[in-house]
Amino acid sequence: MAVVAGRVGALGALGLLAAVAGAGGAAGTVAGGAAGTVAAPRASPAGFVAVAEVDASIGQEMRYATPHNFTGAVVDGYDEPVCLLARPAAEALRRAQREVLRRGYSLLVYDCYRPQRAVDRFVRWAGDGADQRTKAEFYPGVAKDRLVPEGYIAEKSGHSRGSTVDVTLAELGRGPLDMGTPFDFFDPLAHTDSPRVTGTARGHRDLLRRVLGRQGFVNLPQEWWHFTYAPEAFPDASFDFPVSVASVHR
């Protein structure tokens, strides 16, 4: 389990009003209506933090900063393999981590804040029918040209608002628990309540959902790993600053 410590020393607490003000200020992001106008700044708005600075014990295996993801390459916008979130979501994740540590487990995050440019890259990848390198691992039962129509790949993502995290459970010293499918497995088997997932894997999915749910995270039923903290700090925004520690250290 790869744990990214990041820089030591958590950022000072920021209120929601300061966070909202920062969204339209020096950071260069624009929070509009439901569509959310996207700019391309180098820094986040006030209110984002590196999760390692909130709780360094949370495991990080940031897949899109590596070639081990469904595109087969490092994804646009992932300058560093770090988890960034709006502070309220990061603090809720820390509370959940305290509970799972008492059980001998740890949270392991695969993705957190995601720039809009990365979302755009996913859509372009889905439209490239000639590239089937990762089919066996990530979408063996779905034709690639069906990934967008069937909702596995979307043109907008809640990850770009900063309160959504892709996460699993890992046993301390042993690695990720069996969840019935890998992360980013495009198949109905990955639906959280898939009746085909039973036994130990079902228990692990239920435990993850209960622990995160107690801290305000809501699961996306189509993906057992996908959780959004509510209320979101930036519910109407789409951000495009790069994933790096420097982005939250202004």
Side-chain angles (χ1 to χ4, degrees), residues 38-229:
V38 179
R42 294 300 304 172
S44 73
F48 270 80
V49 295
V51 165
E53 297 177 344
V54 175
D55 189 333
S57 73
I58 295 172
Q60 297 188 33
E61 187 181 325
M62 306 302 293
R63 289 289 185 85
Y64 303 137
T66 78
H68 186 203
N69 65 73
F70 59 84
T71 73
V74 174
V75 177
D76 301 357
Y78 284 83
D79 291 2
E80 296 176 3
V82 294
C83 172
L84 309 180
L85 287 173
R87 178 171 284 279
E91 293 181 342
L93 205 63
R94 175 179 60 185
R95 295 192 297 271
Q97 173 73 343
R98 289 173 179 170
E99 179 175 347
V100 299
L101 284 174
R102 291 194 295 269
R103 298 171 178 266
Y105 302 134
S106 174
L107 297 176
L108 173 62
V109 295
Y110 292 123
D111 194 37
C112 301
Y113 158 73
R114 181 185 304 165
Q116 180 60 42
R117 72 190 80 174
V119 179
D120 296 342
R121 171 64 181 127
F122 293 168
V123 174
R124 292 196 304 273
W125 170 85
D128 181 3
D131 182 358
Q132 300 284 341
R133 292 173 294 161
T134 65
K135 181 175 178 60
E137 181 175 0
F138 292 102
Y139 56 106
V142 181
K144 191 176 185 184
D145 63 4
R146 299 302 304 164
L147 292 176
V148 171
E150 295 186 18
Y152 294 107
I153 302 291
E155 295 181 353
K156 294 290 183 181
S157 171
H159 283 275
S160 300
R161 301 193 294 267
S163 293
T164 295
V165 60
D166 292 336
V167 59
T168 190
L169 290 170
E171 189 172 5
L172 294 174
R174 292 181 176 270
L177 299 182
D178 177 13
M179 291 294 195
T181 76
F183 165 62
D184 264 355
F185 190 70
F186 300 147
D187 189 274
L189 192 63
H191 294 182
T192 308
D193 288 322
S194 170
R196 296 160 56 199
V197 176
T198 60
T200 301
R202 162 62 57 200
H204 292 159
R205 288 189 184 188
D206 291 344
L207 175 60
L208 181 65
R209 182 167 50 181
R210 285 198 307 272
V211 169
L212 290 175
R214 280 194 281 267
Q215 303 306 329
F217 286 94
V218 179
N219 175 244
L220 179 69
Q222 290 79 18
E223 298 176 347
W224 61 258
W225 56 81
H226 181 117
F227 292 84
T228 299
Y229 178 76

